[in-house]
Amino acid sequence: MAFQLTQQQRNFFDVFGYLKVPKLFSNESQLFQQLFDEIYQAERAIDWQHEAHYNKSRLIVFNFLEKHPALRQLITHENIQALFSPFLGENYTYMASEGNIFNGDTYWHSDIYGCHFKYRYMKALFYLD
């Protein structure tokens, strides 16, 4: 059975702009870690620094989910649909993915640089550490 947001979770997201859902993909976590490691060994990561990460080095691989069929399935996974649809509607558009290795902390920041404010944007993060 797919995950379903509670009204309390919806309210929290509307007020604070984020939602933490621990263990939503606990059955897949070992596979995700294995694929993450494999992709980082096979791909050339970009060393990127940004003020949101205190200008510390961050390795990034763009189009990360697209690198493996098991990860690509996350785009339409029922749990992802259950998280995004209540806020974006049933016909939202997937835009992009990335895989990151951070070297240090980050502070909260918006990832909607250059986006049109007439649209609502959401981002899903998987913390593997």
Side-chain angles (χ1 to χ4, degrees):
M1 187 164 112
F3 168 78
Q4 291 187 341
L5 286 170
T6 65
Q7 188 60 50
Q8 183 179 5
Q9 288 171 314
R10 290 178 191 212
N11 294 343
F12 185 94
F13 183 84
D14 283 335
V15 170
F16 297 105
Y18 76 94
L19 185 62
K20 183 178 175 184
V21 187
K23 301 183 183 186
L24 183 61
F25 286 92
S26 59
N27 293 337
E28 296 93 342
S29 64
Q30 280 188 313
L31 174 63
F32 291 172
Q33 183 66 56
Q34 175 189 338
L35 294 175
F36 184 89
D37 293 342
E38 287 176 14
I39 291 169
Y40 258 87
Q41 288 176 2
E43 296 290 324
R44 186 172 184 168
I46 297 167
D47 189 357
W48 189 64
Q49 297 175 16
H50 190 272
E51 64 186 37
H53 307 283
Y54 302 105
N55 291 315
K56 292 186 179 180
S57 179
R58 165 176 120 170
L59 296 176
I60 185 169
V61 171
F62 292 104
N63 300 313
F64 198 83
L65 296 181
E66 293 81 352
K67 306 284 184 201
H68 193 280
L71 295 176
R72 196 175 308 117
Q73 291 179 22
L74 284 169
I75 296 167
T76 57
H77 193 283
E78 61 185 2
N79 286 342
I80 296 295
Q81 300 279 336
L83 281 170
F84 284 20
S85 293
F87 302 107
L88 302 176
E90 294 295 322
N91 295 317
Y92 64 86
T93 301
Y94 165 80
M95 293 184 66
S97 66
E98 60 190 46
N100 294 276
I101 297 177
F102 292 96
N103 182 17
D105 292 327
T106 184
Y107 58 86
W108 189 95
H109 60 280
S110 174
D111 280 344
I112 59 171
Y113 309 115
C115 294
H116 299 283
F117 289 110
K118 69 179 182 178
Y119 301 111
R120 191 168 200 184
Y121 295 84
M122 293 179 71
K123 186 175 189 175
L125 303 166
F126 292 84
Y127 289 91
L128 300 176
D129 57 349

